[in-house]
Amino acid sequence: MGSLEMAKIVGEGTTSTTQAKKALKLAIREYKHSITREYLDNKKRGIVGRKMYRDKWGYDELSAEVQWVGLNTQLIVVCEYFLRYLDTHTLAQTKKHFTKLWDAKTDNKYMREVNAHQKELFYRLNEHTEGALMS
């Protein structure tokens, strides 16, 4: 999912807080663009996300759009969380925290479902940012 611009920023892996922040800010900008009305109604690009939901899971047009916008909004929140975290922590601490949250363990059934969903979000973010927050 990552863009060429993201690949240039991250390269072989993030080595500074500034680099990680740039990657997260670019991801936020791309996620915000992907939920604009202009993007959603674009027949060549915008339909791709919603088409995936319709074809793969059988959602109708409205449900597909709600899922697409919801997913990207959640990813924006995750990016913003780690941007704030980087303000008060080192890159190494942030990467450790990211991995800890990704692999969170619990005995509670509800929290296992929450953690599974979070893990999917983190996977998508990690893929999009070319691994900017992974050790």
Side-chain angles (χ1 to χ4, degrees), residues 26 37 47 70 77 80 86-87 103 113 119 123 128 133-134:
L26 177 60
R37 177 54 42 205
I47 204 74
V77 170
E80 289 172 345
L86 280 164
D87 286 340
D103 291 332
E113 291 173 14
K119 190 170 193 151
Y123 177 79
H128 187 90
L133 295 176
M134 288 300 282

Side-chain angles (χ1 to χ4, degrees), residues 12-31:
E12 295 297 312
T14 47
T15 55
S16 72
T17 300
T18 304
Q19 199 178 22
K21 283 183 174 185
K22 282 182 183 177
L24 288 168
K25 286 176 182 176
L26 177 60
I28 289 170
R29 192 168 54 241
E30 290 178 1
Y31 291 137

Side-chain angles (χ1 to χ4, degrees), residues 17-86:
T17 300
T18 304
Q19 199 178 22
K21 283 183 174 185
K22 282 182 183 177
L24 288 168
K25 286 176 182 176
L26 177 60
I28 289 170
R29 192 168 54 241
E30 290 178 1
Y31 291 137
K32 283 183 177 179
H33 173 72
S34 73
I35 60 175
T36 61
R37 177 54 42 205
E38 175 186 345
Y39 180 84
L40 292 170
D41 290 340
N42 181 319
K43 295 299 179 198
K44 290 186 178 177
R45 292 194 183 122
I47 204 74
V48 173
R50 292 180 291 154
K51 182 176 178 0
M52 172 186 70
Y53 285 108
R54 283 197 317 272
D55 294 350
K56 190 170 181 180
W57 295 298
Y59 289 134
D60 59 81
E61 182 88 8
L62 175 61
S63 298
E65 190 170 312
V66 168
Q67 291 293 323
W68 179 254
V69 170
L71 170 67
N72 285 286
T73 302
Q74 288 174 333
L75 287 166
I76 290 167
V77 170
V78 172
C79 287
E80 289 172 345
Y81 172 83
F82 283 105
L83 268 176
R84 287 191 312 275
Y85 199 86
L86 280 164

Side-chain angles (χ1 to χ4, degrees), residues 92-106:
Q93 290 170 326
T94 303
K95 287 181 174 187
K96 185 176 180 180
H97 184 61
F98 180 80
T99 306
K100 179 184 172 193
L101 290 175
W102 186 326
D103 291 332
K105 306 273 189 280
T106 183

